[in-house]
Amino acid sequence: MSIVHTESLTKVYGDVSQPIPAVRDVNLTVEEGEFLAIMGPSGSGKSTLLYMLGGLDKPTSGKVWLRDSELSALNDDALSRMRRTEFGFVFQFFNLIPVLTAQENVAIPLILDGVPRARALKQADDALARVGLADRTMHRPTELSGGQQQRVALARALVTTPAVILADEPTGNLDSRSSDDVVQMLRRAVDEWKQTLVLVTHDSRVAAFADRIIFLKDGKIVDDNRLKGRGNADQIREQLSKMVLS
Amino acid sequence: MTAQSSNFGSTVWQMTLMGLRYLNGRRLRTALTTVAIVFGVAMIFAINLALPSMQEAFQQTITSFTGADLSVTSVSGESFPPAAVLEQISSVDQVKAVTGILHRQFSLPTLGESSLGDTTQIDLVGVDPASMENVHQFVISDGRFLEPGDSGKAVLPAGIAELAPQLGVGTTFPLITAGGLKFYTVVGLLAEQGDLAAPEIYVSLADAQAAFNQPGLINTVEVLLEPGANREAAAADIQQAVGAGFTLDQGSNDSNTLAAMQVGFAMFDVLGMLALFLGAFLIFNTFRTVVVERRHDLGMLRAVGATRRQITLLIVIESLIQGLIGTAIGLLIGYLMAQGMISVINVYATDFFHRGSLSLQFSLSGLLGAAAIGLATALIAGYWPARAAGKTAPLEALRPATPANIQRAARWSLIVGIGIMLLAVLLLLTGNQGAAGGAVLFLMGMVVTAPALVIPVARLISPLLSFGFAREGDIARSNLVRQPGRAAITASTLMIGLATLVMIAAMVLSFASLINSLADVNFSSDLILLPQSIAVYDNVIGADENLANRVRALPEVQDVGTMRYASAATADGQALQVMGIDPNEYSKVASFTVNEGSPDAAFAALGSGRNALFTAIALSTVGLKVGDDFMLQTAEGPQTYHVAGIANDLFTFKIAAIFISQTNLAADFHKTEDIMLMINLAPDADKQAALVDIQTILTDYPQFTAHLTGEYRDELANVTSGALILMYGLAFLILIPAALGLLNTLTINVLERTREIGVVRAVGGSRTQVRRVVTAEALLLGIFGAAMGVLAGVAMSYGFIAAFGTVGWEMPYFFPVAGIIAAVIVGVLLALFAAVLPARNAARLDIIRALQYE
Amino acid sequence: MSVKHALLALLYHHPQHGYELGRQINAVVNTEWDVKLGQVASTLARLKDANLVDYEVEPTDDAPDRKVYFITDEGRRELESWYLTPEVREYRLGDAFYIKLVLSLLGGPVSPEQVLITQRRELFQQLHEVTELLRQADARTQLPWVLLLESATMHLDADLRWIEMCEARLNDLKHYDPPQPTPKPRGRPRRKLAQPSES
Ligand SMILES: Nc1ncnc2c1ncn2[C@@H]1O[C@H](COP(=O)(O)OP(=O)(O)O)[C@@H](O)[C@H]1O
Ligand SMILES: [Mg+2]
């Protein structure tokens, strides 16, 4: 079942005299429970597309639906509410509020939504435990490694059990080990907690975790690649053996 | 959605925590921003605590002796013949008994042998013992109360023993009277005595009338009502019976002193408000920076679902926290300041408060008022940046760079500001009372225009820096023009401080010249005899004609002119001081400054009919013009006087006073006491010898002191210039927040550019160069602020002096050259001083950490 | 990969029976690499001939006597020099896909973009599967296998990046003019006349 859907989605930056088309005429359907990776050279409009999917940026033309609601038809307050209840965001940089503890950072969307603080903090603890940071709840962001910070951000995205998690190069700033942790966790969110995930990445090895990869070029989707299950595992083994024995 | 409203508190609490941590993370800045609030709140709270305490003390002093149900006095405050009034009041139903008394509170001269020990002020009450005992029963602790027929007998409060232990029943003490020193014998001691009040000394009515040279007169009627009488109804009936010339339960005109004090305190209130105004500037400035600095955090909050209103709330809460902290500290300091003021007053104002001391009255409304003003300032100043913060786009969080860091000054600020200034100049040129408004408007216009001026002015003055700061000047300039709004606000705070300085300098010049010309008219005689206090004559005991006659009889003396005093009121109850002179005598020893015609004509006018010369203040208070007739409440009831002209002298120019002839003063106010004597000697007389002769006479009248007029004038000039220096002190107080503003902005500028400074250092900039850039920036701000301050100061001083002219203080306008130079120097020094810390911090930045700073 | 050196490496630790060696070699290296017993026996024979290993006969009661192999000094030296000789991977200059891409640039029924996309799909499919295997593998118990899979992901990643680069340079590639093969001069080469340079 589709959960996010776009129709002729277009974003043009700049003014009329010098339009910079960032996303052009994108028709995309994200299925519920899907792990979708968006790839493409830098400047191809990946982030812009992602932000429009999450209601962070307004399309120049075209429409975005989350289930039955059309995002561009909402006013700022409704959109804000949507962001804190239906979407979870993970970004590359500046992800956490430096003066808040990990626990509070995770609880923020709940608190902004009016959940009593004690309950919000309890839920935040649970979410942190899910990303393996049960022992770091009282730490400030500066006291955490980059990978840990990103996991806190992930916990924040998960805490509201949003309809969709949107991640913009969440591993772009991490070493390969931390990057692996974060992607594994994202994958688990999809597999075990049935989250829907849209992830922008530059890294093929991160994208390889996805169920589906779309490629953008100059703001357009140029390839939509659904990756099959593991039917070919034996073949791979054989190939590997050959490679080793050669 | 219900969750949203019901748990609003959860959000607010979280925001409060965040705000506290953000503030804690930038402690220096928080402290600097809060200081102005502290300053302002402390000022206002201190005034609002001290003033009511003093007022109350005054009230006690004035009314403490009335043990009766009601008391009736003349509206003018002066004495009146008792017969008719006593008759009228006792005929009213429900009145059981009445008695007439004559009393006056006055300061004692510091006599060598000290007639009443340490007592500095007393209330001498003359009573008719027979009728007094019907109205009020005195509790006697020793001896007896006065009896009919007593003369030269006195009853003292028992508490006086603390101040004058030698006094007891049967002892004798001297007291000043209008007829010279007189001795009284103590016949009894009273058990009761208010602590703060000047001790009441009861003598017979006749003795009091002699002491004040007011034979046959009283100034208060004490009334006892029938038991169970309706007080209000009785009071109305009595008022009806005595007519409009009398008033019930009103204190004496002592409130003149209080009014003068209130004016003084109002100055502090204004200072407090100015400090808060500057505090608002600082908060506004800081939070605008905060919003830019924190755009990532704010954007992130928006991205995870905060609404615009929630973001606005977050910043407002933060500024409120600062407001709260500042207000709390301010209240504390204010309380201590009030304590300090009270104890200073206790030391210096024993004249008013006698033994015992003023205690600070805690006032909840004063506290709430000051707190509300402090919080409101923080709230209002924080709101605008908070609203701007609400507009932060969620995507701000994701952009590493800040392309929008350079703000552009709105063009409207230039247009609106110049519009306001033009209007202000028009008002200034009218030269009437609107000129003061014009001055304030001009200041506002400057504030509005400032952002638009930053770039051109910076370009204009940065060449000045090329001497000492060849390379750094340009960098400093471009740093400054990046945030014209902030630079403008900083320069504006400095401007207000420096404009005040320039204005005070100009006013001091003008005032000095005014006072000098006034002193010319008062101090033209050879010798002058002055009472214990000048300008507050209610508490003075003068002398009867004997003193003047004895002086006149001295061989060296050629002319003696005297001044007399009475209090009066206008038809609508405004107090006026009435000065009585003999036009013929007085014109020989002193004069007035007159606005129209000549002094001679003015003296001539006083010679006949009920003519009065008004001080300019009196005229504008009463709202009359020369040639009008008006009704004056005198001790003889309402009398019509004619405004014959405007006249000022040094003693009266700052109060609402009128001059009439001594003949009229005696007829309408029953006053024949001389309170000041001016003496001209024969051309070949020896001044020192004459002084010695006069001082011999004055041993009988110790309430007077004799001075060589010239010497006294010099002494006065010293005191005046001391007071004027105090004014400069006020100006420097206002410069404190201005300096904080500078420091704040420079600190913020350095913080904001930490990364840039790191790059400059990494590519080889030296510490010295970095320090010099910050210093150059401070200098640019200082010169900018000083330039604006000079301009605004000139406009303000011109406006205020013009406005003073319309209330009658026509002062020459002096271009305050010295003030301008001082303002420029102070501005530059302040800038350099404010730059020390930020420049050092910038120079000491650790390169690696600076590069990582975000 | 040589079984020869694997046997030497195992014998270095302690003398062993041929059959045991066969089992151990599979256990140590990894489960997927199935070395046949016959191969072990023939290799041991060759090693004995080359005087790199030797054996002692261990008498047993019921069966034929077992040969217990041990490493000789010469074998030790050989093992050492093997460890110290780096393995060089061949450059895949003769890659079939490369030929396909270059040929598609000349124009044909399928555009070079499509050729790239098709190849990328396949590579991603493989990478996805290797990633799956990696996720299932337990690094604590199967470290050699995990390392091997990592090696595969890295090579696939490198291929993908190369494709990405080709894609980014496709426009340049399209305008690339293949050098014309210079026509072979017929007859005797003429001698060039020496000419004065103009500079
Ligand atoms: N705020 C902006 N203003 C103008 N142009 C922008 C803005 N944000 C992105 N762009 C342009 O839009 C295009 C797509 O950007 P982006 O979506 O960030 O690409 P990607 O995330 O794939 O690197 C780029 O050309 C970029 O320069
Ligand atoms: Mg991007």
Side-chain angles (χ1 to χ4, degrees), chain B residues 754-755 758-759 761-762 845-853:
Chain B
T754 300
R755 214 192 173 97
V759 173
R761 295 271 287 121
L845 275 179
D846 176 18
I847 300 180
I848 306 298
R849 281 189 47 202
L851 289 174
Q852 289 165 343
Y853 185 87

Side-chain angles (χ1 to χ4, degrees), chain A residues 39-41 180 184 187-188 191 202-205 207-211 213 215 217 222-233 236-237 239-241 243-246, chain C residues 1 30 32-34 89 113 117 120-122 124-136 145 148-155 157 160-161 164 167-168 170-171:
Chain A
M39 294 194 78
D180 223 52
Q184 295 267 16
R187 181 73 240 183
R188 270 189 36 217
D191 289 345
H202 243 101
D203 186 345
S204 318
R205 297 179 40 173
F209 280 81
D211 304 314
I213 307 176
F215 293 88
K217 196 177 176 192
V222 290
D223 189 21
D224 188 345
N225 187 5
R226 280 170 203 280
L227 301 171
K228 291 178 282 292
R230 53 192 107 107
N232 276 352
I236 295 275
R237 275 164 207 263
Q239 265 184 8
L240 281 174
S241 294
M243 197 166 87
V244 171
L245 286 171
S246 63
Chain C
M1 171 63 201
N30 80 70
E32 309 295 320
W33 186 28
D34 211 2
R89 184 185 289 272
E113 284 91 346
I117 285 176
R120 186 170 65 193
R121 283 180 163 225
E122 172 56 25
F124 260 117
Q125 181 59 40
Q126 285 188 23
L127 186 56
H128 181 64
E129 286 162 16
V130 176
T131 306
E132 280 290 304
L133 291 178
L134 257 175
R135 289 180 62 209
Q136 287 156 20
W145 170 232
L148 197 59
L149 288 172
E150 288 287 7
S151 152
T153 60
M154 285 173 195
H155 283 108
D157 188 39
L160 278 162
R161 264 189 272 166
E164 196 180 316
E167 210 176 8
L170 206 54
N171 274 335

Side-chain angles (χ1 to χ4, degrees), chain A residues 13-14 20 22 41-48, chain B residues 399:
Chain A
Y13 286 114
I20 308 168
S42 78
S44 58
K46 305 182 292 293
S47 299
T48 308
Chain B
R399 300 205 179 101

Side-chain angles (χ1 to χ4, degrees), chain B residues 355-367:
Chain B
R355 72 206 165 92
S357 55
L358 258 186
S359 62
L360 194 59
Q361 307 282 317
F362 181 76
S363 140
L364 186 65
S365 65
L367 181 133

Side-chain angles (χ1 to χ4, degrees), chain B residues 615-632:
Chain B
T615 63
I617 297 274
L619 207 58
S620 64
T621 318
V622 180
L624 291 171
K625 57 183 190 302
V626 176
D628 285 349
D629 283 338
F630 76 103
M631 226 258 305
L632 192 65

Side-chain angles (χ1 to χ4, degrees), chain C:
Chain C
M1 171 63 201
S2 84
V3 177
K4 162 181 153 186
H5 290 104
L7 292 175
L8 283 177
L10 290 173
L11 286 177
Y12 176 82
H13 293 281
H14 52 89
Q16 275 182 81
H17 190 245
Y19 173 72
E20 278 175 316
L21 277 171
R23 276 215 331 234
Q24 223 191 353
I25 203 165
N26 277 331
V28 169
V29 184
N30 80 70
T31 46
E32 309 295 320
W33 186 28
D34 211 2
V35 183
K36 302 283 176 298
L37 266 181
Q39 203 180 349
V40 172
S42 62
T43 310
L44 280 171
R46 269 190 280 126
L47 288 172
K48 165 86 180 107
D49 292 346
N51 203 20
L52 297 174
V53 300
D54 207 342
Y55 59 80
E56 280 172 356
V57 178
E58 186 182 89
T60 45
D61 304 339
D62 40 26
D65 293 343
R66 290 202 307 186
K67 293 175 181 163
V68 177
Y69 287 87
F70 61 88
I71 192 162
T72 62
D73 286 350
E74 215 163 314
R76 253 180 253 260
R77 274 194 295 279
E78 170 62 25
L79 183 63
E80 216 164 281
S81 80
W82 175 69
Y83 275 129
L84 292 174
T85 310
E87 297 294 324
V88 180
R89 184 185 289 272
E90 287 173 51
Y91 293 112
R92 305 201 298 170
L93 294 176
D95 194 289
F97 171 69
Y98 168 75
I99 311 267
K100 215 185 255 179
L101 179 66
V102 171
L103 287 174
S104 78
L105 285 171
L106 301 174
V110 174
S111 69
E113 284 91 346
Q114 197 53 51
V115 171
L116 282 170
I117 285 176
T118 310
Q119 184 66 19
R120 186 170 65 193
R121 283 180 163 225
E122 172 56 25
L123 287 170
F124 260 117
Q125 181 59 40
Q126 285 188 23
L127 186 56
H128 181 64
E129 286 162 16
V130 176
T131 306
E132 280 290 304
L133 291 178
L134 257 175
R135 289 180 62 209
Q136 287 156 20
D138 186 341
R140 276 164 307 185
T141 57
Q142 299 170 283
L143 189 56
W145 170 232
V146 166
L147 291 176
L148 197 59
L149 288 172
E150 288 287 7
S151 152
T153 60
M154 285 173 195
H155 283 108
L156 287 165
D157 188 39
D159 285 347
L160 278 162
R161 264 189 272 166
W162 181 69
I163 285 186
E164 196 180 316
M165 196 193 75
C166 291
E167 210 176 8
R169 298 218 169 153
L170 206 54
N171 274 335
D172 297 344
L173 277 176
K174 278 177 185 167
H175 297 115
Y176 175 69
D177 233 353
Q180 293 300 311
T182 38
K184 259 216 173 128
R186 295 182 190 178
R188 249 174 6 109
R190 274 193 283 164
R191 283 187 71 176
K192 267 191 183 166
L193 291 172
Q195 285 197 340
S197 74
E198 283 182 28
S199 59

